[in-house]
């Protein structure tokens, strides 16, 4: 049972344009969401997060949007750069009494073309 | 700090053989996590430790999988006997404190191929 789903295995965008990566979840108890970025032959690294009490969090070129009613979050990258080409994982966890246990999606491979 | 260290980086073995993956967490971190990455399921948490004690092993797929953390600086994930469906990338991660999911630091992973 996949509680966190990334339905698009891959995405290709032109440099300078917006990249939008999507993620859906099923567990309404999740109250903290994260995006991780992974380059080949490296481990995932934390990118940006959002608490369920917010609907938007921005960090430079990266913005995460959360729609709790739809159980959907998205990551926007503007403008996209070739160095953003990587696999992006969304993850969710339970905040209160959190043990640090993350539930990850399958990942979306982003390719930014020069 | 050197970050989380995993060895070997690549492992190719034959079905039925024992496989041992190793992890050295970041010094001072008291949580250690083992994940498995596959195309179909993404990153799955297998087991995690707090202060060397296993807390949640509900993600361990079968009795063929076992994990230990004999001290604060070393953990192993063992598969015995290995099967082709165990082929995946296995990640170890560590973190400093509870309640801070964005502080998990991942190692580079071990790519396991079981023939």
């Amino acid at each position: 049972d996949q509680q966190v789903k990334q339905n698009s295995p891959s995405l290709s965008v032109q440099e300078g344009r917006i990249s939008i990566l999507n993620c859906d979840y099923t567990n309404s108890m999740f109250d903290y969401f994260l995006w991780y970025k992974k380059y080949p032959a490296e481990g995932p690294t934390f990118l940006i997060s959002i608490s369920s009490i917010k609907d938007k969090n921005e960090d430079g070129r990266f913005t995460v949007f959360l729609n709790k009613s739809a159980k959907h979050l998205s990551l926007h990258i503007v403008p996209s750069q070739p160095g953003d080409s990587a696999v992006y994982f969304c993850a969710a966890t339970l905040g209160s009494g959190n043990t640090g246990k993350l539930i990850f999606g399958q990942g979306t491979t982003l390719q930014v073309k020069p | 700090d050197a970050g989380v260290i995993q060895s070997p980086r690549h492992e190719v073995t034959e079905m039925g053989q024992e496989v041992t993956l190793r992890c050295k967490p970041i010094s001072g971190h008291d949580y250690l996590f083992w994940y498995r990455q596959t195309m179909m399921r993404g990153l799955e948490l297998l087991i995690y430790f707090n202060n060397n004690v296993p807390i949640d092993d509900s993600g361990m797929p079968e009795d063929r999988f076992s994990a230990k953390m004999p001290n604060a600086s070393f953990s192993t994930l063992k598969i015995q006997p290995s099967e082709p469906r165990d082929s995946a990338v296995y990640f170890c991660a560590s973190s400093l404190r509870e309640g801070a999911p964005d502080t998990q630091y991942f190692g580079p992973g071990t790519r396991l191929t079981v023939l």
Side-chain angles (χ1 to χ4, degrees), chain A residues 38-54:
Chain A
K38 182 186 175 306
Y39 291 117
E42 295 182 9
T45 57
F46 169 73
L47 183 60
I48 192 170
S49 62
I50 188 168
S51 166
S52 60
I53 61 174
K54 297 184 177 181

Side-chain angles (χ1 to χ4, degrees), chain A residues 76-94:
Chain A
H76 292 210
I77 307 173
V78 183
S80 301
Q81 299 174 354
D84 296 329
S85 298
V87 179
Y88 290 80
F89 291 96
C90 68
T93 188
L94 302 172

Side-chain angles (χ1 to χ4, degrees), chain A residues 32 36 41 43 98-101, chain B residues 9 40 48 56 98 101-102 104 107:
Chain A
Y32 197 76
Y36 275 73
N98 169 39
T99 59
K101 182 175 179 178
Chain B
R9 293 295 307 275
M40 289 299 295
Y48 77 93
D56 184 346
E98 181 176 354
D102 49 4
Q104 286 194 25

Side-chain angles (χ1 to χ4, degrees), chain B residues 24-65:
Chain B
K24 182 183 187 322
I26 293 173
S27 177
H29 282 193
D30 52 3
Y31 280 82
L32 184 138
F33 306 83
W34 280 102
Y35 291 89
R36 176 172 67 176
Q37 181 192 1
T38 60
M39 290 293 291
M40 289 299 295
R41 299 185 65 82
L43 276 164
E44 299 176 275
L45 177 66
L46 301 176
I47 185 172
Y48 77 93
F49 296 82
N50 175 221
N51 292 322
N52 313 337
V53 176
I55 303 300
D56 184 346
D57 65 354
S58 60
M60 296 286 263
E62 299 174 31
D63 292 344
R64 298 184 296 107
F65 285 70

Side-chain angles (χ1 to χ4, degrees), chain B:
Chain B
D1 200 315
V4 175
I5 299 172
Q6 291 187 247
S7 65
R9 293 295 307 275
H10 302 273
E11 177 79 31
V12 180
T13 189
E14 292 188 347
M15 182 174 63
Q17 296 297 306
E18 178 179 297
V19 174
T20 300
L21 311 181
R22 297 173 176 80
C23 175
K24 182 183 187 322
I26 293 173
S27 177
H29 282 193
D30 52 3
Y31 280 82
L32 184 138
F33 306 83
W34 280 102
Y35 291 89
R36 176 172 67 176
Q37 181 192 1
T38 60
M39 290 293 291
M40 289 299 295
R41 299 185 65 82
L43 276 164
E44 299 176 275
L45 177 66
L46 301 176
I47 185 172
Y48 77 93
F49 296 82
N50 175 221
N51 292 322
N52 313 337
V53 176
I55 303 300
D56 184 346
D57 65 354
S58 60
M60 296 286 263
E62 299 174 31
D63 292 344
R64 298 184 296 107
F65 285 70
S66 63
K68 294 182 180 179
M69 192 164 185
N71 56 62
S73 60
F74 183 66
S75 176
T76 60
L77 178 67
K78 185 175 293 186
I79 308 172
Q80 166 64 16
S82 59
E83 296 183 3
R85 61 191 167 126
D86 302 330
S87 298
V89 181
Y90 291 81
F91 290 100
C92 175
S94 69
S95 69
L96 183 58
R97 59 190 170 93
E98 181 176 354
D102 49 4
T103 65
Q104 286 194 25
Y105 295 86
F106 283 76
T110 295
R111 181 174 293 278
L112 172 64
T113 302
V114 183
L115 304 174

Side-chain angles (χ1 to χ4, degrees), chain A residues 11-20 65 75-80 110:
Chain A
L11 174 68
S12 180
V13 300
Q14 207 66 35
E15 180 179 7
R17 307 295 290 270
I18 185 171
S19 295
I20 300 176
F65 295 91
L75 175 68
H76 292 210
I77 307 173
V78 183
S80 301
L110 172 66

